[in-house]
């Protein structure tokens, strides 16, 4: 497959340049929110954004890690510490949307692996997010309709 024909102009996607002039691969969210959203299913069919991006010479955004890497809560804690420092939120657990906005959306699956945001906050002695809905909040369709 010749991936050199796949181009995402900088005016349509927030693609940035690094010092070596190589492009960062766009995320699936960036593609989905652009005029190129119809390409997502085709990209997935041909090995996914990472595979196509690598073939096109783009730098992948998500770090490559060994199998089982996210099973260690200390790894999650270290990564979350970096995010908390960047966001200047102290001991508060970052929200999912904050992780995504900070380019750390890849942490979400690791957090879910350990029981979710509230559980990880508890394990790491972090202050949970204030806007957390109680378990079962969305089970009643009337609540969903009212919101």
């Amino acid at each position: 497959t010749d991936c050199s024909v796949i181009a995402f102009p900088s005016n349509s996607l927030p693609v940035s340049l690094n010092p070596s002039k190589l492009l960062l691969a766009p995320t699936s969210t960036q593609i989905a929110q652009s005029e190129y959203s119809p390409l997502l299913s085709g990209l997935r069919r041909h090995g996914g954004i990472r595979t196509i991006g690598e073939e096109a010479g783009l730098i992948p955004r998500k770090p490559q890690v060994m199998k089982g890497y996210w099973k260690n809560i200390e790894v999650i804690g270290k990564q979350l510490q970096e995010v908390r420092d960047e966001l200047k939120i102290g001991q508060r657990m970052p929200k999912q949307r904050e992780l995504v906005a900070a380019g750390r959306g890849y942490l979400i699956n690791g957090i879910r692996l350990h029981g979710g945001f509230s559980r990880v906050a508890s394990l790491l002695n972090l202050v949970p997010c204030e806007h957390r809905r109680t378990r079962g909040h969305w089970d009643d369709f009337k609540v969903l309709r009212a919101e």
Side-chain angles (χ1 to χ4, degrees):
T1 306
D2 180 17
C3 295
S4 61
V5 297
I6 299 175
F8 299 100
S10 59
N11 62 349
S12 64
L13 286 175
V15 176
S16 59
L17 294 173
N18 74 6
S20 65
K21 308 251 193 256
L22 294 174
L23 293 173
L24 287 174
T27 64
S28 59
T29 302
Q30 289 172 329
I31 295 172
Q33 294 173 349
S34 75
E35 63 189 271
Y36 300 101
S37 59
L39 288 177
L40 273 176
S41 61
L43 291 170
R44 289 181 182 128
R45 174 175 261 176
H46 292 281
I49 294 169
R50 175 176 298 281
T51 302
I52 298 297
E54 287 172 357
E55 288 183 27
L58 301 176
I59 299 170
R61 290 180 179 267
K62 183 178 176 183
Q64 293 286 331
V65 295
M66 293 177 5
K67 187 175 182 178
Y69 179 78
W70 298 113
K71 290 184 179 181
N72 185 343
I73 191 67
E74 292 173 10
V75 169
I76 303 283
K78 182 179 178 218
Q79 294 277 330
L80 289 175
Q81 177 66 51
E82 292 174 11
V83 174
R84 291 188 351 260
D85 290 346
E86 287 173 22
L87 298 175
K88 297 177 174 66
I89 59 173
Q91 288 299 110
R92 181 175 62 77
M93 177 73 176
K95 298 175 185 175
Q96 181 172 329
R97 69 174 172 260
E98 290 174 324
L99 292 175
V100 172
R104 303 287 187 107
Y106 56 83
L107 287 172
I108 296 168
N109 285 336
I111 291 168
R112 288 181 180 148
L113 180 70
H114 290 279
F117 281 76
S118 294
R119 174 93 167 106
V120 168
S122 175
L123 289 171
L124 297 174
N125 296 317
L126 299 175
V127 177
C129 299
E130 307 122 22
H131 297 99
R132 173 88 177 134
R133 303 284 185 192
T134 58
R135 187 172 298 280
H137 176 80
W138 297 110
D139 291 348
D140 186 354
F141 188 75
K142 292 177 189 174
V143 172
L144 180 62
R145 185 177 299 163
E147 301 245 352

